[in-house]
């Protein structure tokens, strides 16, 4: 057959039996319709059914669990969720924030049956975990949407205290493994002001070799140089490539 | 839109030159280099394959072919390939989940097999994008892993300038992650003015920046956005307005953007709306919920200009791809599929039936195969030769030679 890495020309005479992947066709597009409303085939409803909301939350959950979370996907989902949530019949005053569920299974069910406030809490915690992806440790903020009482009564102060409060909850919402998932991501670059590898660009002359294996620390001279570049007083020179 | 039967006006007729199959999914970057001599493809298996143009006399016709030249194996899934505008040597830039690498071919385009990472300093250097913060938009570049004491980024979109200066792209996170509502989705440098670049966002906006104006590029020079059509508003409005690709015309006077349902051409001098809008597959507009359910609505299609900027091309589903002639306003739907075209046969225009009576040879919307999507296409810089990546096949089509 094919050796790995080789692309072959497909000749007309070749008898190739291709395994046809299962064709993916569109389902009839009415599952999201609220049965109380007249079926409108052409446009999504002004008021979404719970199915659309549930689907979106599940998608968000799933997206966040990816080993390589797609930020674009996440942001679009969250924005769509906000839109859906905003257009749902206002439940008048929102109930107080329910206590966080304790087990993943319970969490999923609770999530699906949750009130807006709990959804807000969930979204807030999901976005918190976005920040964990980036390795930023920030003070947690009140819930995404204004209005609902974002903080448990008594007001755990913003800061690590509240983070801990949300921590176990989010751990329930997303698996424990998700927490560990991000552990291997080196976020030390956020500890330093500037990005170390730029130092390579500052060293014209002998090729890369040892430069590449250097540590991340910038010395003062390099830092100054980089700052100068940022301020626009100096243009970075491309290090001469080999043989050029 | 009624399709004209005679679609030959669009660059004559394309006939299939070759198709190349691979074990792994291509579904990734396909790029001609700037002379059109080389074609690079990258697949999920971490394989880069370079094809080289050969001119062989076959049956006394001088039809160009592309020969398999060389392949490189790297350890990572390849996201994007872009050729560098170097005339004397073959450089290309390739991005993986971890790094960008500049791979340089040696004489005669004999590329060295390398890991594609920074192990051999003689032939590979790493181009990195420094990150500045903080600000209000986020480049879709997130730290992934640390390799050999170097920070690396997951690069979503890459572009190269002619001068090879390190590029400062603004990568900003909001102080509060919950305020993150928009990400950068694509970027490209101006073909002639290396200080100018554009980037698009998940909210359907385009910003043009001049690096000379601001070292930090946090202020755009121009801001392109079309007002939302209130009659088309839905929960999915933002998703379908998210721009998946942005390309400068070769002339540098226009930019083209691809969102889920349309391709738009913008004049750099007019920011409030595009000068042209082409419907790629508007029949999907009533299917957005299903496409949201199966995640197809998040598919990122690319778009390309032909060499003279008179025709634009983009992919669709069911292995269809579309071409739009900007001058005649004609468009055509073609299919990249072995079953439906024999080599050397002229591609037959396809048509999607949107309702009512389906004519013979038409395909109904509900019969479209959404697992067969053409996300990546490339157009030779000066000739009518196109490369179309369809799942695990690469098709090369060329204008019929009379």
């Amino acid at each position: 057959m094919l050796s790995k890495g080789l692309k072959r020309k497909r000749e007309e005479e070749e008898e190739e039996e291709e395994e046809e992947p299962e064709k993916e066709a569109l389902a009839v597009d009415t599952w999201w319709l609220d049965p109380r409303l007249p079926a409108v085939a052409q446009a999504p409803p002004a008021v979404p059914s719970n199915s659309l909301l549930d689907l979106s939350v599940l998608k968000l959950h799933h997206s966040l669990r990816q080993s390589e979370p797609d930020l674009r996907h996440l942001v679009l989902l969250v924005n769509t969720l906000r839109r859906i949530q905003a257009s749902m019949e206002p439940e008048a005053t929102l109930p107080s924030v329910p206590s966080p569920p304790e087990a993943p299974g319970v969490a999923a069910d609770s999530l699906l049956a949750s009130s807006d406030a709990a959804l807000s809490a969930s979204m807030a915690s999901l976005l918190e975990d976005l920040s964990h992806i980036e390795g930023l440790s920030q003070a947690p903020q009140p819930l995404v949407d204004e209005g609902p009482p974002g903080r448990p009564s008594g007001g755990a102060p913003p800061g690590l205290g509240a983070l801990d409060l949300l921590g176990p909850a989010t751990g329930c919402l997303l698996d424990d493994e998700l927490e560990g998932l991000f552990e291997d991501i080196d976020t030390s670059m956020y500890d330093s002001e500037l990005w170390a590898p730029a130092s390579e660009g500052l060293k014209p002359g002998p090729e890369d070799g040892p430069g590449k294996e250097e540590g991340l620390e910038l010395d003062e001279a390099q830092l100054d140089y980089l700052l100068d570049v940022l301020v626009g007083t100096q243009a970075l020179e491309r290090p001469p490539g080999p043989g050029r | 839109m009624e399709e004209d039967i005679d679609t030959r006006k669009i660059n004559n007729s394309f006939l299939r030159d070759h198709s190349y199959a691979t074990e792994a999914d291509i579904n990734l970057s396909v790029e001609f280099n700037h002379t059109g001599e080389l074609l690079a493809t990258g697949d999920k298996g971490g394989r880069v394959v370079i094809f080289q143009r050969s001119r062989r006399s076959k049956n006394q016709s001088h039809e160009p072919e592309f020969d398999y030249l060389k392949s490189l194996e790297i350890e990572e899934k390849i996201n994007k390939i872009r050729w560098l505008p170097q005339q004397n040597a073959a450089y290309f830039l390739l991005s993986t989940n971890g790094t960008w690498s500049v791979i340089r071919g040696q004489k005669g385009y004999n590329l060295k097999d390398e890991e594609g990472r920074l192990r051999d300093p003689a032939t590979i250097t790493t181009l990195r994008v420094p990150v500045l913060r903080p600000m209000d938009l986020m480049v879709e570049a997130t730290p992934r892993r640390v390799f050999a004491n170097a920070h690396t980024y997951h690069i979503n979109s890459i572009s190269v300038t002619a001068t090879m200066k390190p590029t400062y792209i603004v990568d900003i996170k909001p102080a509060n992650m919950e305020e993150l509502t928009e990400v950068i989705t694509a970027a490209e440098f101006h073909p002639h003015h290396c200080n100018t670049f554009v980037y698009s966002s998940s909210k359907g906006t385009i910003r043009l920046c001049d690096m000379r104006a601001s070292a930090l590029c946090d202020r755009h020079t121009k801001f392109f956005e079309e007002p939302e059509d209130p009659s088309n508003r839905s929960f999915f409005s933002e998703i379908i307005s998210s721009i998946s690709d942005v390309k400068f015309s070769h002339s540098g006077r226009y930019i083209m953007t691809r969102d889920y349902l349309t391709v738009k051409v913008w004049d750099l001098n007019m920011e409030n709306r595009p000068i042209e809008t082409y419907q790629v597959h508007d029949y999907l507009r009533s299917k957005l919920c299903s496409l949201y359910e199966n995640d197809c609505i998040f598919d990122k299609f690319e778009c390309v200009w032909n060499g003279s900027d008179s025709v634009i091309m983009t992919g669709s589903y069911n292995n269809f791809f579309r071409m739009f002639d900007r001058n005649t306003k004609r468009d055509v739907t073609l299919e990249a599929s072995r079953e439906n075209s024999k080599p050397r046969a002229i591609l037959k225009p396809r048509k999607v039936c949107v309702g009512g009576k389906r004519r013979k040879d038409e395909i109904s919307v509900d019969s479209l195969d959404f697992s067969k999507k053409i996300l990546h296409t490339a157009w030779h810089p000066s000739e009518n030769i196109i490369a179309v990546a369809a799942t695990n096949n690469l098709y090369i089509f060329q204008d019929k030679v009379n």
Side-chain angles (χ1 to χ4, degrees):
Chain A
M1 272 308 269
L2 284 182
S3 58
K4 188 170 188 271
L6 196 66
K7 294 197 181 176
R8 65 181 191 277
K9 253 188 214 182
R10 193 186 288 261
E11 299 297 334
E12 192 179 0
E13 305 80 40
E14 255 184 49
E15 292 294 325
E16 276 298 326
E17 219 62 53
E18 265 190 302
E19 216 180 300
E20 281 281 85
E22 196 173 317
K23 182 171 152 167
E24 189 181 338
L26 286 176
V28 176
D29 216 23
T30 55
W31 59 268
W32 43 261
L33 287 176
D34 189 324
R36 292 172 296 173
L37 300 177
V40 179
Q42 293 302 316
V47 176
S49 72
N50 281 327
S51 324
L52 189 60
L53 178 67
D54 296 344
L55 172 69
S56 303
V57 170
L58 279 173
K59 279 184 177 299
L60 186 56
H61 190 163
H62 177 73
S63 186
L64 206 57
R65 294 171 70 106
Q66 297 305 303
S67 56
E68 295 168 6
D70 181 344
L71 268 178
R72 168 188 168 262
H73 194 242
L74 283 166
V75 163
L76 288 174
L77 277 175
V78 168
N79 290 349
T80 304
L81 254 174
R82 283 175 175 148
R83 212 182 265 230
I84 292 170
Q85 190 189 12
S87 69
M88 291 184 89
E89 286 174 331
E91 301 288 333
T93 53
L94 294 160
S96 57
V97 179
S99 51
E102 288 167 1
V106 175
D109 293 337
S110 308
L111 189 59
L112 292 177
S114 64
S115 65
D116 289 340
L119 177 63
S120 297
S122 306
M123 284 170 59
S125 61
L126 285 171
L127 288 167
E128 276 295 329
D129 283 290
L130 271 182
S131 74
H132 293 162
I133 297 172
E134 301 304 322
L136 298 172
S137 51
Q138 314 163 45
Q141 296 294 321
L143 293 174
V144 174
D145 297 284
E146 294 77 16
R151 288 275 172 237
S153 58
L160 284 179
L163 187 61
D164 289 343
L165 196 67
L166 288 175
T170 65
C172 295
L173 188 60
L174 319 151
D175 264 334
D176 287 336
E177 58 199 40
L178 191 63
E179 301 293 313
L181 204 63
F182 301 126
E183 276 169 19
D184 70 328
I185 293 182
D186 185 308
T187 53
S188 59
M189 80 80 65
Y190 288 96
D191 301 333
S192 61
E193 200 55 43
L194 293 159
W195 191 10
S199 62
E200 286 184 23
L202 307 176
K203 294 186 194 175
E207 242 82 295
D208 328 40
K212 288 201 180 355
E213 306 305 318
E214 265 180 355
L216 298 174
E217 297 74 37
L218 287 173
D219 62 26
E220 242 180 41
Q222 293 167 347
L223 203 59
D224 286 343
Y225 185 89
L226 202 57
L227 283 169
D228 285 342
V229 171
L230 290 175
V231 177
T233 56
Q234 194 163 354
L236 271 182
E237 293 298 321
R238 174 186 177 224
R244 300 249 341 136
Chain B
M1 171 190 303
E2 207 52 61
E3 235 177 49
D4 200 300
I5 306 280
D6 179 14
T7 53
R8 286 168 199 252
K9 295 249 170 68
I10 301 181
N11 289 306
N12 303 312
S13 311
F14 274 92
L15 56 87
R16 200 186 79 181
D17 190 4
H18 295 292
S19 72
Y20 300 87
T22 176
E23 296 299 305
D25 286 347
I26 294 190
N27 208 29
L28 286 164
S29 202
V30 180
E31 282 288 322
F32 283 101
N33 78 332
H34 292 259
T35 62
E37 198 70 23
L38 301 170
L39 176 68
T41 66
D43 68 30
K44 261 188 211 168
R47 205 148 40 236
V48 177
V49 182
I50 313 294
F51 298 89
Q52 183 181 23
R53 184 84 172 271
S54 75
R55 289 191 181 269
R56 285 204 290 265
S57 171
K58 244 187 191 183
N59 301 325
Q60 300 185 344
S61 68
H62 293 271
E63 287 179 1
E65 284 191 357
F66 279 85
D67 297 327
Y68 168 85
L69 178 66
K70 200 80 179 189
S71 67
L72 255 93
E73 301 254 358
I74 65 173
E75 291 170 18
E76 308 244 0
K77 171 190 161 206
I78 294 163
N79 287 337
K80 282 269 203 267
I81 296 177
R82 284 293 184 103
W83 289 97
L84 306 184
Q86 301 284 348
Q87 298 296 327
N88 299 326
Y91 284 87
F92 63 90
L93 183 70
L94 91 95
S95 91
T96 69
N97 273 344
T99 61
W100 285 4
S101 299
V102 178
I103 314 286
R104 188 187 63 168
Q106 289 166 0
K107 236 201 274 191
Y109 303 118
N110 181 30
L111 297 166
K112 253 185 165 182
D113 285 327
E114 295 289 350
E115 278 186 344
R117 280 200 266 139
L118 29 138
R119 295 303 171 196
D120 182 353
T123 53
I124 298 173
T125 53
T126 298
L127 248 185
R128 302 197 203 101
V129 180
V131 169
L132 308 172
R133 43 185 186 103
M135 276 175 230
D136 59 358
L137 270 188
M138 176 169 229
V139 168
E140 195 168 7
T142 53
R144 283 281 154 255
R145 295 185 192 289
V146 179
F147 292 123
N149 296 323
H151 288 292
T152 55
Y153 282 83
H154 174 73
I155 304 295
N156 183 260
S157 174
I158 60 176
S159 182
V160 224
T161 92
T163 60
M164 283 285 291
K165 283 200 173 77
T167 311
Y168 288 96
I169 297 180
V170 175
D171 167 24
I172 316 289
K173 279 160 278 297
N176 175 6
M177 276 300 286
E178 287 171 8
E179 291 167 13
L180 177 66
T181 59
E182 190 174 7
V183 298
I184 294 177
T185 52
E188 194 182 47
F189 276 103
H190 193 284
H192 311 312
H193 307 129
C194 56
N195 294 299
T196 304
F197 67 94
V198 289
Y199 64 91
S200 59
S201 83
S202 56
K203 289 199 170 180
T205 65
I206 307 108
R207 289 172 178 81
L208 182 129
C209 295
D210 188 331
M211 290 192 285
R212 292 166 302 187
S214 162
L216 298 181
C217 286
D218 56 338
R219 300 277 175 264
H220 50 261
T221 310
K222 289 185 193 251
F223 179 78
F224 300 84
E225 185 178 29
E226 185 176 25
E228 187 184 6
D229 178 1
S231 67
N232 273 334
R233 190 174 298 154
S234 75
F235 294 114
F236 313 113
S237 293
E238 181 176 327
I239 299 177
I240 65 170
S241 73
S242 174
I243 292 175
S244 52
D245 194 17
V246 63
K247 293 270 173 49
F248 273 102
S249 64
H250 293 92
S251 65
R253 289 176 47 203
Y254 305 103
I255 52 178
M256 167 167 56
T257 58
R258 175 69 156 98
D259 52 60
Y260 189 62
L261 296 178
T262 72
V263 178
K264 296 182 165 122
V265 177
W266 305 74
D267 186 316
L268 286 188
N269 296 319
M270 185 156 67
E271 299 170 54
N272 61 340
R273 63 178 172 82
I275 57 170
E276 295 155 30
T277 299
Y278 300 95
Q279 302 295 331
V280 181
H281 37 218
D282 198 58
Y283 45 78
L284 297 183
R285 196 177 289 274
S286 60
K287 308 285 183 186
L288 292 180
C289 260
S290 295
L291 294 163
Y292 177 71
E293 188 182 14
N294 64 17
D295 266 349
C296 282
I297 206 176
F298 296 101
D299 286 337
K300 291 185 283 186
F301 293 93
E302 294 177 359
C303 53
V304 289
W305 300 85
N306 76 336
S308 60
D309 298 336
S310 60
V311 180
I312 57 184
M313 174 169 70
T314 189
S316 179
Y317 294 104
N318 209 76
N319 280 345
F320 288 169
F321 58 100
R322 304 263 281 140
M323 287 185 191
F324 302 92
D325 188 320
R326 298 178 59 218
N327 299 324
T328 66
K329 300 306 177 193
R330 283 198 164 94
D331 64 83
V332 68
T333 303
L334 300 171
E335 182 176 359
S337 144
R338 200 169 69 94
E339 292 74 31
N340 290 322
S341 58
K342 299 178 179 142
R344 308 286 157 201
I346 293 172
L347 290 181
K348 201 162 67 96
R350 302 307 307 270
K351 182 143 178 161
V352 176
C353 164
V354 293
K357 283 193 133 166
R358 186 179 73 89
R359 290 190 227 162
K360 185 177 88 113
D361 288 348
E362 286 184 357
I363 183 166
S364 69
V365 180
D366 295 318
S367 304
L368 294 173
D369 188 342
F370 289 84
S371 67
K372 295 187 174 167
K373 52 194 85 172
I374 292 181
L375 305 174
H376 308 274
T377 60
W379 203 308
H380 190 283
S382 54
E383 298 182 38
N384 285 333
I385 302 175
I386 57 177
V388 174
T391 317
N392 63 343
N393 286 292
L394 172 71
Y395 294 87
I396 297 183
F397 301 102
Q398 64 183 39
D399 227 5
K400 188 180 74 148
V401 177
N402 293 314

